[in-house]
């Protein structure tokens, strides 16, 4: 069990599942950049969170609910949760909103499963399934919270806390998914592969005169 001071962001788990280096660049080195894809994603979440809760049919819709789990050591916010008005007729359904389309990896599934585990711990309810609404096909993608996925979440949570304690950025490992990363131009995986810090690498280039400040910020 973790304490309240130990809780780490749920979003960090999704970053870690996608790439440990991406997680470190964002959460350790505080490196971030906006592009069209991240802006679209942010605006989509803002739109969802601005809407008020409501009752629709036989469910009560709650938005922007704060979640936490002391077993996983995580805290965050659910985009939308549908609570059945009659608990005997169903289970809470968490819906996560994403701007793109389903990914080839399970990073999105890990994030929403972690939210479900948080909600189960907070309420005592069971959440067997959830849904991810992707902006490209504009429809929900069902996610089953299998024991295999739950175990992956537990192991990743342990890894997240371990890496947070170590406070070290893993070296770059270039792969196909690097092209889909919003930090590609800052991580520079082809150039910095084997080096621990993209920030130190860029600082060294500036000091050597190989790169000026304007090139780094544009």
């Amino acid at each position: 069990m973790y304490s309240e001071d130990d809780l780490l962001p749920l979003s960090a788990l999704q970053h870690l599942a996608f790439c440990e280096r991406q997680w470190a660049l964002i959460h350790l080195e505080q490196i971030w950049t906006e592009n069209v894809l991240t802006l679209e994603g942010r605006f989509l979440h803002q739109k969802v969170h601005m809407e008020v809760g409501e009752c629709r049919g036989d469910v009560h819709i709650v938005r922007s609910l704060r979640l936490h789990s002391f077993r996983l050591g995580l805290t965050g916010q659910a985009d939308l949760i549908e609570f059945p008005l009659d608990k005997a007729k169903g289970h809470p359904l968490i819906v996560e909103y994403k701007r793109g389309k389903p990914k080839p990896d399970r990073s999105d599934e890990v994030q929403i499963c972690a939210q479900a585990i948080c909600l189960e711990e907070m309420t005592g309810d069971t959440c067997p399934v959830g849904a991810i609404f992707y902006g490209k096909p504009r429809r929900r993608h069902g996610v089953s919270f299998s024991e295999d996925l739950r175990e992956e979440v537990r192991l990743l949570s342990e890894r997240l806390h371990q890496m947070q304690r170590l406070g070290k950025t893993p070296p770059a490992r270039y792969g196909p998914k690097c092209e889909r990363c919003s930090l590609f131009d800052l991580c520079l995986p082809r150039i910095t592969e084997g080096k621990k810090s993209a920030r130190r690498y860029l600082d060294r280039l500036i000091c050597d005169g190989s790169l000026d400040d304007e090139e780094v910020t544009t």
Side-chain angles (χ1 to χ4, degrees):
M1 297 291 286
Y2 294 93
S3 70
E4 190 169 349
D5 292 336
D6 296 326
L7 300 182
L8 298 176
L10 272 163
S11 59
L13 196 69
Q14 193 264 355
H15 294 143
L16 186 72
F18 177 75
C19 171
E20 289 192 352
R21 181 170 172 82
Q22 184 198 68
W23 167 82
L25 293 177
I26 295 173
H27 297 276
L28 292 183
E29 300 198 26
Q30 303 296 305
I31 293 177
W32 179 250
T33 183
E34 290 279 22
N35 59 21
V36 173
L37 302 182
T38 58
L39 284 171
E40 287 179 355
R42 184 154 58 88
F43 290 149
L44 176 62
H45 281 87
Q46 288 176 350
K47 181 180 179 181
V48 174
H49 294 171
M50 285 175 62
E51 297 178 13
V52 297
E54 59 182 309
C55 287
R56 187 182 301 169
D58 58 355
V59 299
H60 178 212
I61 298 174
V62 178
R63 304 173 192 273
S64 307
L65 182 66
R66 298 297 304 179
L67 300 172
H68 67 264
S69 168
F70 292 112
R71 288 190 292 111
L72 296 179
L74 299 173
T75 184
Q77 183 173 262
D79 288 337
L80 184 151
I81 305 177
E82 297 178 353
F83 290 94
L85 295 177
D86 185 350
K87 289 188 177 182
K89 293 184 178 180
H91 303 278
L93 180 75
I94 297 179
V95 183
E96 175 71 12
Y97 282 73
K98 299 290 183 183
R99 60 149 300 280
K101 57 186 178 180
K103 298 180 177 64
D105 58 58
R106 293 213 297 183
S107 56
D108 289 346
E109 285 81 357
V110 161
Q111 182 181 7
I112 191 174
C113 183
Q115 293 176 9
I117 294 173
C118 288
L119 186 63
E120 289 175 339
E121 183 177 321
M122 292 170 61
T123 65
D125 290 325
T126 301
C127 301
V129 297
I132 303 173
F133 179 87
Y134 285 101
K136 289 293 184 181
R138 295 198 61 79
R139 63 173 179 267
R140 291 184 178 185
H141 171 75
V143 180
S144 174
F145 302 135
S146 64
E147 187 53 41
D148 177 61
L149 182 57
R150 290 170 180 269
E151 180 64 15
E152 185 175 352
V153 169
R154 286 191 284 268
L155 293 175
L156 279 169
S157 298
E158 292 177 4
R159 178 62 173 164
L160 177 65
H161 283 274
Q162 178 188 46
M163 292 191 66
Q164 183 71 35
R165 289 192 298 270
L166 291 174
K168 295 181 180 180
T169 300
R173 294 283 188 271
Y174 179 75
K177 67 181 179 181
C178 292
E179 304 292 340
R180 297 187 285 110
C181 180
S182 61
L183 298 184
F184 180 82
D185 291 334
L186 292 176
C187 177
L188 302 171
R190 288 196 183 99
I191 300 173
T192 62
E193 188 164 9
K195 298 178 174 65
K196 292 183 178 180
S197 171
R199 184 180 296 280
R200 287 197 296 271
Y201 175 78
L202 292 173
D203 289 344
R204 187 165 62 253
L205 288 180
I206 293 172
C207 292
D208 293 342
S210 303
L211 196 66
D212 58 36
D213 291 310
E214 185 177 354
E215 288 180 282
V216 174
T217 57
T218 56

